[in-house]
Structure formats: C-alpha cells, structure tokens
Amino acid sequence: GVPGAAAYARGMSTRVAVFVVSVVAALSVPASADTLAPLYAKLKLRFTVNRPGAKTGWTADGALNPIPLGRQVPPQRGVDFVFPAGTRIDVGAVPACHASDQQVTRTGPSACPPASRIGSGSAGLAFGTTGTLDTKLSVFDGGRRLIIVFTSTAGSVVRVLSGTIKGTHVKSTIPRIVLPGGGEVAVFRLALQLRAAGTSKRPLFRTPRTCPRSGRWTFTYLPRYDPPYGVQRSTSSRSEEHTSELQSLR
C-alpha cells in the first residue's frame, strides 16, 4: 500500500472520534438548569443582556399549575426575587416616584412621573372561586422599592404592590384582598419586562462582572404561601453566550 497510509487513517479515525465525542458532550449540556417548585407550571427569570458588567433589563415569566374549578387559587403572602451574586441594582439611576401606594391606587399610574416608569407586563388574577381577570402591569422606580400597578383593561387600578430592594433581593409582603364570601384575590400568571434603564455608566440593573464556571447566572424565586405549600423555591438560569469573555475572566 501507500507508505504511511495506515498511520494517516489511524490519525484521522482518532480525530473524528474526538470530534464526535466533543459534539455529543456539547449537545448534552442543558441550555438551562431550572428547578421548578411543585405549584408552578413554568418560571423563567432572565437578564436581557448576556455580557458581564453590562447595563441590562430583566424579565420574569411564570404561571401556576391549573387549579380545578371551584377551588381557591393559593394566594401568595410574600415573594423574594434573588438576583445572581454580583448583580448591582442602583435605585438612584432613574428618577423616583414618591407617590404612596394609596395615591397610586386612587390616581393610577399617572401618579408617578413618566421618567420613573421602568417596565410593563401582564398578569392573571383569580377572584376567589368566582372567576379571573386579565390585568396590565406598570412598574415604577420608587427609590428603595419597585412599585407594580395592576390595572384592568378599562384602566381602573385593581391592586398595587411594592417590592423592597436590598442588595440582590427584591422582596414584597403581599396584603390580603378578601372578597365577599371569604375568597381572596390571587395571582396565577405573571409576565414582567423591565427595561435597561439608566445610563451605561450608571444603570438601574448591571449584570455581575464575572461569571461562574458553569457559564450560568442563576436567579432564585422564593414565593411564600399558607400551609401546606409554604415557600415554593424555584431557580432559573440559562447558558450565557459569552464564552470568550468567560475564558478571559478565568
């Protein structure tokens, strides 16, 4: 045969095998490492930018599992959104709305200056066992808190929630709204989009300056319910697409 042909073939076989193994290994890495609490049908928490140390927005998309007709949707008593370690939240990066929750309830979103508006979205509310209502969300920077206004399609305010910002946590205690007959108002679906507010030098949200070796920034969501549900812990992450930046940071 041709001199060296066998050795060349063996070398090619080795390289092909290594290539195949590498491809299979890459395909086997999940795009996310989400863990979902038993009450939830879905939960996705994401930055809108994948670059480390960058100005970013934030999105949340979650929903409970379907509740049988005639049963009360479990009302949340509190929530805690935990951002990835290293996230910077600068509440002074945009003008603040200084209206109280009571003022916003009476006046609506117009109680806050337009420049303080940082997000929007939608939510589904269950009214005891009698029915549901689709609402629109308006989100404002309230200084050390986020103000979330739920309005009907007709524009009337249904409820107002405040989330206190401390470090990488956004926490809220959710007041009860008890209906005639004893049922309560409960959120069963929420989709929220916060824009990349502020400036590049002083953004409202900044992604962590480094990435973990997994290449994933992980959010944790801790909603609190009455027994028997208790705290329904979920995590949400995805593989960030900045491999070269990741390698340069190691």
PDB file of all heavy atoms in Angstrom, residues 54-89:
ATOM      1  N   ALA A  54     -22.596  44.609  32.447  1.00  0.00           N
ATOM      2  CA  ALA A  54     -23.271  45.447  31.465  1.00  0.00           C
ATOM      3  C   ALA A  54     -24.636  45.924  31.962  1.00  0.00           C
ATOM      4  O   ALA A  54     -25.285  45.277  32.789  1.00  0.00           O
ATOM      5  CB  ALA A  54     -23.451  44.677  30.151  1.00  0.00           C
ATOM      6  N   LYS A  55     -25.054  47.052  31.453  1.00  0.00           N
ATOM      7  CA  LYS A  55     -26.403  47.552  31.666  1.00  0.00           C
ATOM      8  C   LYS A  55     -27.402  46.549  31.087  1.00  0.00           C
ATOM      9  O   LYS A  55     -27.210  46.060  29.974  1.00  0.00           O
ATOM     10  CB  LYS A  55     -26.544  48.906  30.969  1.00  0.00           C
ATOM     11  CG  LYS A  55     -27.941  49.485  30.915  1.00  0.00           C
ATOM     12  CD  LYS A  55     -27.920  50.790  30.124  1.00  0.00           C
ATOM     13  CE  LYS A  55     -29.311  51.339  29.896  1.00  0.00           C
ATOM     14  NZ  LYS A  55     -29.280  52.586  29.075  1.00  0.00           N
ATOM     15  N   THR A  56     -28.447  46.237  31.838  1.00  0.00           N
ATOM     16  CA  THR A  56     -29.363  45.197  31.391  1.00  0.00           C
ATOM     17  C   THR A  56     -30.784  45.471  31.864  1.00  0.00           C
ATOM     18  O   THR A  56     -31.012  46.233  32.809  1.00  0.00           O
ATOM     19  CB  THR A  56     -28.914  43.810  31.898  1.00  0.00           C
ATOM     20  OG1 THR A  56     -29.774  42.798  31.353  1.00  0.00           O
ATOM     21  CG2 THR A  56     -28.993  43.726  33.420  1.00  0.00           C
ATOM     22  N   GLY A  57     -31.716  44.851  31.194  1.00  0.00           N
ATOM     23  CA  GLY A  57     -33.075  44.777  31.680  1.00  0.00           C
ATOM     24  C   GLY A  57     -33.287  43.427  32.338  1.00  0.00           C
ATOM     25  O   GLY A  57     -32.335  42.661  32.543  1.00  0.00           O
ATOM     26  N   TRP A  58     -34.531  43.131  32.646  1.00  0.00           N
ATOM     27  CA  TRP A  58     -34.837  41.882  33.359  1.00  0.00           C
ATOM     28  C   TRP A  58     -36.250  41.456  33.004  1.00  0.00           C
ATOM     29  O   TRP A  58     -37.149  42.288  32.865  1.00  0.00           O
ATOM     30  CB  TRP A  58     -34.705  42.106  34.859  1.00  0.00           C
ATOM     31  CG  TRP A  58     -35.100  40.953  35.726  1.00  0.00           C
ATOM     32  CD1 TRP A  58     -34.489  39.738  35.792  1.00  0.00           C
ATOM     33  CD2 TRP A  58     -36.191  40.895  36.652  1.00  0.00           C
ATOM     34  NE1 TRP A  58     -35.127  38.930  36.708  1.00  0.00           N
ATOM     35  CE2 TRP A  58     -36.171  39.618  37.251  1.00  0.00           C
ATOM     36  CE3 TRP A  58     -37.179  41.806  37.035  1.00  0.00           C
ATOM     37  CZ2 TRP A  58     -37.126  39.224  38.201  1.00  0.00           C
ATOM     38  CZ3 TRP A  58     -38.114  41.422  37.975  1.00  0.00           C
ATOM     39  CH2 TRP A  58     -38.074  40.140  38.551  1.00  0.00           C
ATOM     40  N   THR A  59     -36.441  40.147  32.821  1.00  0.00           N
ATOM     41  CA  THR A  59     -37.771  39.630  32.509  1.00  0.00           C
ATOM     42  C   THR A  59     -38.139  38.505  33.469  1.00  0.00           C
ATOM     43  O   THR A  59     -37.273  37.763  33.938  1.00  0.00           O
ATOM     44  CB  THR A  59     -37.856  39.097  31.061  1.00  0.00           C
ATOM     45  OG1 THR A  59     -36.982  37.958  30.915  1.00  0.00           O
ATOM     46  CG2 THR A  59     -37.466  40.173  30.056  1.00  0.00           C
ATOM     47  N   ALA A  60     -39.429  38.396  33.746  1.00  0.00           N
ATOM     48  CA  ALA A  60     -39.965  37.314  34.577  1.00  0.00           C
ATOM     49  C   ALA A  60     -41.212  36.787  33.897  1.00  0.00           C
ATOM     50  O   ALA A  60     -42.076  37.559  33.471  1.00  0.00           O
ATOM     51  CB  ALA A  60     -40.292  37.817  35.978  1.00  0.00           C
ATOM     52  N   ASP A  61     -41.305  35.473  33.786  1.00  0.00           N
ATOM     53  CA  ASP A  61     -42.450  34.846  33.143  1.00  0.00           C
ATOM     54  C   ASP A  61     -42.797  33.580  33.930  1.00  0.00           C
ATOM     55  O   ASP A  61     -42.041  32.606  33.903  1.00  0.00           O
ATOM     56  CB  ASP A  61     -42.125  34.495  31.690  1.00  0.00           C
ATOM     57  CG  ASP A  61     -43.315  33.936  30.926  1.00  0.00           C
ATOM     58  OD1 ASP A  61     -44.455  34.037  31.438  1.00  0.00           O
ATOM     59  OD2 ASP A  61     -43.115  33.391  29.821  1.00  0.00           O
ATOM     60  N   GLY A  62     -43.905  33.610  34.646  1.00  0.00           N
ATOM     61  CA  GLY A  62     -44.255  32.471  35.493  1.00  0.00           C
ATOM     62  C   GLY A  62     -45.750  32.215  35.523  1.00  0.00           C
ATOM     63  O   GLY A  62     -46.556  33.113  35.251  1.00  0.00           O
ATOM     64  N   ALA A  63     -46.115  30.992  35.860  1.00  0.00           N
ATOM     65  CA  ALA A  63     -47.527  30.624  35.963  1.00  0.00           C
ATOM     66  C   ALA A  63     -47.670  29.412  36.877  1.00  0.00           C
ATOM     67  O   ALA A  63     -46.802  28.525  36.898  1.00  0.00           O
ATOM     68  CB  ALA A  63     -48.112  30.310  34.591  1.00  0.00           C
ATOM     69  N   LEU A  64     -48.764  29.394  37.623  1.00  0.00           N
ATOM     70  CA  LEU A  64     -49.080  28.243  38.464  1.00  0.00           C
ATOM     71  C   LEU A  64     -49.666  27.117  37.625  1.00  0.00           C
ATOM     72  O   LEU A  64     -50.169  27.343  36.515  1.00  0.00           O
ATOM     73  CB  LEU A  64     -50.100  28.633  39.536  1.00  0.00           C
ATOM     74  CG  LEU A  64     -49.675  29.670  40.580  1.00  0.00           C
ATOM     75  CD1 LEU A  64     -50.832  29.934  41.538  1.00  0.00           C
ATOM     76  CD2 LEU A  64     -48.447  29.223  41.342  1.00  0.00           C
ATOM     77  N   ASN A  65     -49.609  25.906  38.167  1.00  0.00           N
ATOM     78  CA  ASN A  65     -50.334  24.806  37.555  1.00  0.00           C
ATOM     79  C   ASN A  65     -51.832  25.107  37.609  1.00  0.00           C
ATOM     80  O   ASN A  65     -52.297  25.813  38.509  1.00  0.00           O
ATOM     81  CB  ASN A  65     -50.051  23.494  38.299  1.00  0.00           C
ATOM     82  CG  ASN A  65     -48.657  22.970  38.017  1.00  0.00           C
ATOM     83  OD1 ASN A  65     -48.239  22.869  36.870  1.00  0.00           O
ATOM     84  ND2 ASN A  65     -47.912  22.644  39.071  1.00  0.00           N
ATOM     85  N   PRO A  66     -52.616  24.578  36.662  1.00  0.00           N
ATOM     86  CA  PRO A  66     -54.064  24.827  36.682  1.00  0.00           C
ATOM     87  C   PRO A  66     -54.694  24.352  37.996  1.00  0.00           C
ATOM     88  O   PRO A  66     -54.349  23.302  38.517  1.00  0.00           O
ATOM     89  CB  PRO A  66     -54.572  24.005  35.496  1.00  0.00           C
ATOM     90  CG  PRO A  66     -53.388  23.862  34.591  1.00  0.00           C
ATOM     91  CD  PRO A  66     -52.201  23.784  35.496  1.00  0.00           C
ATOM     92  N   ILE A  67     -55.600  25.175  38.518  1.00  0.00           N
ATOM     93  CA  ILE A  67     -56.334  24.846  39.735  1.00  0.00           C
ATOM     94  C   ILE A  67     -57.738  24.420  39.328  1.00  0.00           C
ATOM     95  O   ILE A  67     -58.379  25.082  38.504  1.00  0.00           O
ATOM     96  CB  ILE A  67     -56.403  26.064  40.681  1.00  0.00           C
ATOM     97  CG1 ILE A  67     -54.999  26.550  41.030  1.00  0.00           C
ATOM     98  CG2 ILE A  67     -57.197  25.726  41.943  1.00  0.00           C
ATOM     99  CD1 ILE A  67     -54.143  25.555  41.787  1.00  0.00           C
ATOM    100  N   PRO A  68     -58.251  23.301  39.862  1.00  0.00           N
ATOM    101  CA  PRO A  68     -59.600  22.846  39.488  1.00  0.00           C
ATOM    102  C   PRO A  68     -60.655  23.915  39.723  1.00  0.00           C
ATOM    103  O   PRO A  68     -60.552  24.711  40.673  1.00  0.00           O
ATOM    104  CB  PRO A  68     -59.821  21.633  40.410  1.00  0.00           C
ATOM    105  CG  PRO A  68     -58.449  21.155  40.756  1.00  0.00           C
ATOM    106  CD  PRO A  68     -57.598  22.391  40.810  1.00  0.00           C
ATOM    107  N   LEU A  69     -61.651  23.951  38.865  1.00  0.00           N
ATOM    108  CA  LEU A  69     -62.754  24.895  39.023  1.00  0.00           C
ATOM    109  C   LEU A  69     -63.415  24.713  40.382  1.00  0.00           C
ATOM    110  O   LEU A  69     -63.561  23.597  40.874  1.00  0.00           O
ATOM    111  CB  LEU A  69     -63.790  24.680  37.910  1.00  0.00           C
ATOM    112  CG  LEU A  69     -63.357  25.076  36.487  1.00  0.00           C
ATOM    113  CD1 LEU A  69     -64.436  24.680  35.486  1.00  0.00           C
ATOM    114  CD2 LEU A  69     -63.060  26.561  36.403  1.00  0.00           C
ATOM    115  N   GLY A  70     -63.786  25.838  40.975  1.00  0.00           N
ATOM    116  CA  GLY A  70     -64.436  25.770  42.272  1.00  0.00           C
ATOM    117  C   GLY A  70     -63.474  25.795  43.443  1.00  0.00           C
ATOM    118  O   GLY A  70     -63.915  25.800  44.597  1.00  0.00           O
ATOM    119  N   ARG A  71     -62.154  25.820  43.167  1.00  0.00           N
ATOM    120  CA  ARG A  71     -61.160  25.883  44.245  1.00  0.00           C
ATOM    121  C   ARG A  71     -60.428  27.215  44.214  1.00  0.00           C
ATOM    122  O   ARG A  71     -60.219  27.797  43.153  1.00  0.00           O
ATOM    123  CB  ARG A  71     -60.156  24.740  44.124  1.00  0.00           C
ATOM    124  CG  ARG A  71     -60.718  23.376  44.522  1.00  0.00           C
ATOM    125  CD  ARG A  71     -59.635  22.318  44.468  1.00  0.00           C
ATOM    126  NE  ARG A  71     -58.479  22.654  45.273  1.00  0.00           N
ATOM    127  CZ  ARG A  71     -57.344  21.954  45.295  1.00  0.00           C
ATOM    128  NH1 ARG A  71     -57.229  20.866  44.529  1.00  0.00           N
ATOM    129  NH2 ARG A  71     -56.339  22.317  46.062  1.00  0.00           N
ATOM    130  N   GLN A  72     -60.054  27.683  45.385  1.00  0.00           N
ATOM    131  CA  GLN A  72     -59.319  28.934  45.507  1.00  0.00           C
ATOM    132  C   GLN A  72     -57.878  28.754  45.023  1.00  0.00           C
ATOM    133  O   GLN A  72     -57.184  27.818  45.418  1.00  0.00           O
ATOM    134  CB  GLN A  72     -59.311  29.374  46.973  1.00  0.00           C
ATOM    135  CG  GLN A  72     -58.336  30.481  47.316  1.00  0.00           C
ATOM    136  CD  GLN A  72     -58.771  31.865  46.845  1.00  0.00           C
ATOM    137  OE1 GLN A  72     -59.846  32.326  47.198  1.00  0.00           O
ATOM    138  NE2 GLN A  72     -57.958  32.514  46.034  1.00  0.00           N
ATOM    139  N   VAL A  73     -57.439  29.653  44.138  1.00  0.00           N
ATOM    140  CA  VAL A  73     -56.023  29.684  43.772  1.00  0.00           C
ATOM    141  C   VAL A  73     -55.234  30.101  45.012  1.00  0.00           C
ATOM    142  O   VAL A  73     -55.580  31.085  45.671  1.00  0.00           O
ATOM    143  CB  VAL A  73     -55.775  30.688  42.629  1.00  0.00           C
ATOM    144  CG1 VAL A  73     -54.279  30.849  42.373  1.00  0.00           C
ATOM    145  CG2 VAL A  73     -56.487  30.235  41.365  1.00  0.00           C
ATOM    146  N   PRO A  74     -54.180  29.369  45.382  1.00  0.00           N
ATOM    147  CA  PRO A  74     -53.415  29.740  46.584  1.00  0.00           C
ATOM    148  C   PRO A  74     -52.872  31.165  46.489  1.00  0.00           C
ATOM    149  O   PRO A  74     -52.126  31.488  45.557  1.00  0.00           O
ATOM    150  CB  PRO A  74     -52.275  28.714  46.605  1.00  0.00           C
ATOM    151  CG  PRO A  74     -52.778  27.552  45.823  1.00  0.00           C
ATOM    152  CD  PRO A  74     -53.649  28.138  44.756  1.00  0.00           C
ATOM    153  N   PRO A  75     -53.223  32.036  47.432  1.00  0.00           N
ATOM    154  CA  PRO A  75     -52.700  33.406  47.401  1.00  0.00           C
ATOM    155  C   PRO A  75     -51.281  33.469  47.972  1.00  0.00           C
ATOM    156  O   PRO A  75     -50.976  32.818  48.962  1.00  0.00           O
ATOM    157  CB  PRO A  75     -53.668  34.188  48.305  1.00  0.00           C
ATOM    158  CG  PRO A  75     -54.787  33.239  48.642  1.00  0.00           C
ATOM    159  CD  PRO A  75     -54.230  31.856  48.498  1.00  0.00           C
ATOM    160  N   GLN A  76     -50.442  34.240  47.332  1.00  0.00           N
ATOM    161  CA  GLN A  76     -49.098  34.459  47.861  1.00  0.00           C
ATOM    162  C   GLN A  76     -49.162  35.411  49.062  1.00  0.00           C
ATOM    163  O   GLN A  76     -49.925  36.371  49.063  1.00  0.00           O
ATOM    164  CB  GLN A  76     -48.193  35.066  46.790  1.00  0.00           C
ATOM    165  CG  GLN A  76     -47.898  34.145  45.636  1.00  0.00           C
ATOM    166  CD  GLN A  76     -47.089  34.848  44.559  1.00  0.00           C
ATOM    167  OE1 GLN A  76     -47.073  36.068  44.468  1.00  0.00           O
ATOM    168  NE2 GLN A  76     -46.407  34.074  43.727  1.00  0.00           N
ATOM    169  N   ARG A  77     -48.338  35.124  50.069  1.00  0.00           N
ATOM    170  CA  ARG A  77     -48.227  36.012  51.226  1.00  0.00           C
ATOM    171  C   ARG A  77     -46.979  36.888  51.139  1.00  0.00           C
ATOM    172  O   ARG A  77     -46.881  37.902  51.818  1.00  0.00           O
ATOM    173  CB  ARG A  77     -48.196  35.188  52.516  1.00  0.00           C
ATOM    174  CG  ARG A  77     -49.405  34.295  52.710  1.00  0.00           C
ATOM    175  CD  ARG A  77     -50.696  35.063  52.622  1.00  0.00           C
ATOM    176  NE  ARG A  77     -51.871  34.226  52.814  1.00  0.00           N
ATOM    177  CZ  ARG A  77     -53.079  34.557  52.406  1.00  0.00           C
ATOM    178  NH1 ARG A  77     -53.278  35.700  51.760  1.00  0.00           N
ATOM    179  NH2 ARG A  77     -54.107  33.750  52.620  1.00  0.00           N
ATOM    180  N   GLY A  78     -46.043  36.484  50.317  1.00  0.00           N
ATOM    181  CA  GLY A  78     -44.836  37.269  50.126  1.00  0.00           C
ATOM    182  C   GLY A  78     -44.007  36.666  49.006  1.00  0.00           C
ATOM    183  O   GLY A  78     -44.205  35.498  48.637  1.00  0.00           O
ATOM    184  N   VAL A  79     -43.109  37.451  48.430  1.00  0.00           N
ATOM    185  CA  VAL A  79     -42.207  36.953  47.386  1.00  0.00           C
ATOM    186  C   VAL A  79     -40.811  37.510  47.638  1.00  0.00           C
ATOM    187  O   VAL A  79     -40.643  38.574  48.240  1.00  0.00           O
ATOM    188  CB  VAL A  79     -42.675  37.343  45.961  1.00  0.00           C
ATOM    189  CG1 VAL A  79     -44.012  36.699  45.628  1.00  0.00           C
ATOM    190  CG2 VAL A  79     -42.757  38.853  45.815  1.00  0.00           C
ATOM    191  N   ASP A  80     -39.824  36.792  47.165  1.00  0.00           N
ATOM    192  CA  ASP A  80     -38.428  37.220  47.241  1.00  0.00           C
ATOM    193  C   ASP A  80     -37.746  36.816  45.938  1.00  0.00           C
ATOM    194  O   ASP A  80     -37.559  35.620  45.672  1.00  0.00           O
ATOM    195  CB  ASP A  80     -37.734  36.574  48.446  1.00  0.00           C
ATOM    196  CG  ASP A  80     -36.301  37.061  48.636  1.00  0.00           C
ATOM    197  OD1 ASP A  80     -35.851  37.931  47.865  1.00  0.00           O
ATOM    198  OD2 ASP A  80     -35.629  36.560  49.567  1.00  0.00           O
ATOM    199  N   PHE A  81     -37.433  37.799  45.098  1.00  0.00           N
ATOM    200  CA  PHE A  81     -36.657  37.564  43.886  1.00  0.00           C
ATOM    201  C   PHE A  81     -35.185  37.762  44.249  1.00  0.00           C
ATOM    202  O   PHE A  81     -34.795  38.849  44.674  1.00  0.00           O
ATOM    203  CB  PHE A  81     -37.037  38.543  42.782  1.00  0.00           C
ATOM    204  CG  PHE A  81     -38.411  38.352  42.221  1.00  0.00           C
ATOM    205  CD1 PHE A  81     -39.488  39.078  42.716  1.00  0.00           C
ATOM    206  CD2 PHE A  81     -38.642  37.453  41.196  1.00  0.00           C
ATOM    207  CE1 PHE A  81     -40.758  38.914  42.195  1.00  0.00           C
ATOM    208  CE2 PHE A  81     -39.910  37.276  40.663  1.00  0.00           C
ATOM    209  CZ  PHE A  81     -40.974  38.018  41.163  1.00  0.00           C
ATOM    210  N   VAL A  82     -34.392  36.721  44.077  1.00  0.00           N
ATOM    211  CA  VAL A  82     -32.969  36.792  44.406  1.00  0.00           C
ATOM    212  C   VAL A  82     -32.172  36.781  43.100  1.00  0.00           C
ATOM    213  O   VAL A  82     -32.190  35.791  42.355  1.00  0.00           O
ATOM    214  CB  VAL A  82     -32.530  35.621  45.303  1.00  0.00           C
ATOM    215  CG1 VAL A  82     -31.083  35.825  45.751  1.00  0.00           C
ATOM    216  CG2 VAL A  82     -33.455  35.470  46.510  1.00  0.00           C
ATOM    217  N   PHE A  83     -31.472  37.881  42.827  1.00  0.00           N
ATOM    218  CA  PHE A  83     -30.692  38.004  41.602  1.00  0.00           C
ATOM    219  C   PHE A  83     -29.343  37.313  41.771  1.00  0.00           C
ATOM    220  O   PHE A  83     -28.881  37.084  42.900  1.00  0.00           O
ATOM    221  CB  PHE A  83     -30.502  39.477  41.257  1.00  0.00           C
ATOM    222  CG  PHE A  83     -31.738  40.143  40.710  1.00  0.00           C
ATOM    223  CD1 PHE A  83     -32.809  40.435  41.546  1.00  0.00           C
ATOM    224  CD2 PHE A  83     -31.832  40.454  39.369  1.00  0.00           C
ATOM    225  CE1 PHE A  83     -33.957  41.038  41.048  1.00  0.00           C
ATOM    226  CE2 PHE A  83     -32.963  41.051  38.859  1.00  0.00           C
ATOM    227  CZ  PHE A  83     -34.034  41.347  39.701  1.00  0.00           C
ATOM    228  N   PRO A  84     -28.682  36.967  40.672  1.00  0.00           N
ATOM    229  CA  PRO A  84     -27.365  36.305  40.771  1.00  0.00           C
ATOM    230  C   PRO A  84     -26.379  37.134  41.582  1.00  0.00           C
ATOM    231  O   PRO A  84     -26.399  38.365  41.552  1.00  0.00           O
ATOM    232  CB  PRO A  84     -26.933  36.187  39.301  1.00  0.00           C
ATOM    233  CG  PRO A  84     -28.201  36.207  38.514  1.00  0.00           C
ATOM    234  CD  PRO A  84     -29.124  37.114  39.260  1.00  0.00           C
ATOM    235  N   ALA A  85     -25.512  36.440  42.301  1.00  0.00           N
ATOM    236  CA  ALA A  85     -24.483  37.122  43.097  1.00  0.00           C
ATOM    237  C   ALA A  85     -23.665  38.047  42.204  1.00  0.00           C
ATOM    238  O   ALA A  85     -23.258  37.668  41.106  1.00  0.00           O
ATOM    239  CB  ALA A  85     -23.571  36.093  43.762  1.00  0.00           C
ATOM    240  N   GLY A  86     -23.439  39.257  42.671  1.00  0.00           N
ATOM    241  CA  GLY A  86     -22.683  40.229  41.890  1.00  0.00           C
ATOM    242  C   GLY A  86     -23.533  41.200  41.101  1.00  0.00           C
ATOM    243  O   GLY A  86     -23.023  42.174  40.552  1.00  0.00           O
ATOM    244  N   THR A  87     -24.849  40.949  41.031  1.00  0.00           N
ATOM    245  CA  THR A  87     -25.754  41.883  40.359  1.00  0.00           C
ATOM    246  C   THR A  87     -25.765  43.204  41.127  1.00  0.00           C
ATOM    247  O   THR A  87     -25.811  43.227  42.353  1.00  0.00           O
ATOM    248  CB  THR A  87     -27.181  41.314  40.300  1.00  0.00           C
ATOM    249  OG1 THR A  87     -27.173  40.067  39.603  1.00  0.00           O
ATOM    250  CG2 THR A  87     -28.122  42.280  39.592  1.00  0.00           C
ATOM    251  N   ARG A  88     -25.727  44.319  40.402  1.00  0.00           N
ATOM    252  CA  ARG A  88     -25.826  45.638  41.023  1.00  0.00           C
ATOM    253  C   ARG A  88     -27.173  46.257  40.663  1.00  0.00           C
ATOM    254  O   ARG A  88     -27.538  46.336  39.481  1.00  0.00           O
ATOM    255  CB  ARG A  88     -24.691  46.552  40.548  1.00  0.00           C
ATOM    256  CG  ARG A  88     -23.300  46.082  40.934  1.00  0.00           C
ATOM    257  CD  ARG A  88     -23.072  46.087  42.431  1.00  0.00           C
ATOM    258  NE  ARG A  88     -23.241  47.414  42.988  1.00  0.00           N
ATOM    259  CZ  ARG A  88     -22.271  48.313  43.071  1.00  0.00           C
ATOM    260  NH1 ARG A  88     -21.045  48.016  42.609  1.00  0.00           N
ATOM    261  NH2 ARG A  88     -22.491  49.498  43.601  1.00  0.00           N
ATOM    262  N   ILE A  89     -27.918  46.689  41.682  1.00  0.00           N
ATOM    263  CA  ILE A  89     -29.182  47.379  41.483  1.00  0.00           C
ATOM    264  C   ILE A  89     -29.027  48.781  42.082  1.00  0.00           C
ATOM    265  O   ILE A  89     -28.882  48.933  43.293  1.00  0.00           O
ATOM    266  CB  ILE A  89     -30.355  46.643  42.152  1.00  0.00           C
ATOM    267  CG1 ILE A  89     -30.422  45.181  41.677  1.00  0.00           C
ATOM    268  CG2 ILE A  89     -31.675  47.350  41.847  1.00  0.00           C
ATOM    269  CD1 ILE A  89     -31.493  44.349  42.374  1.00  0.00           C
TER     270      ILE A  89
END
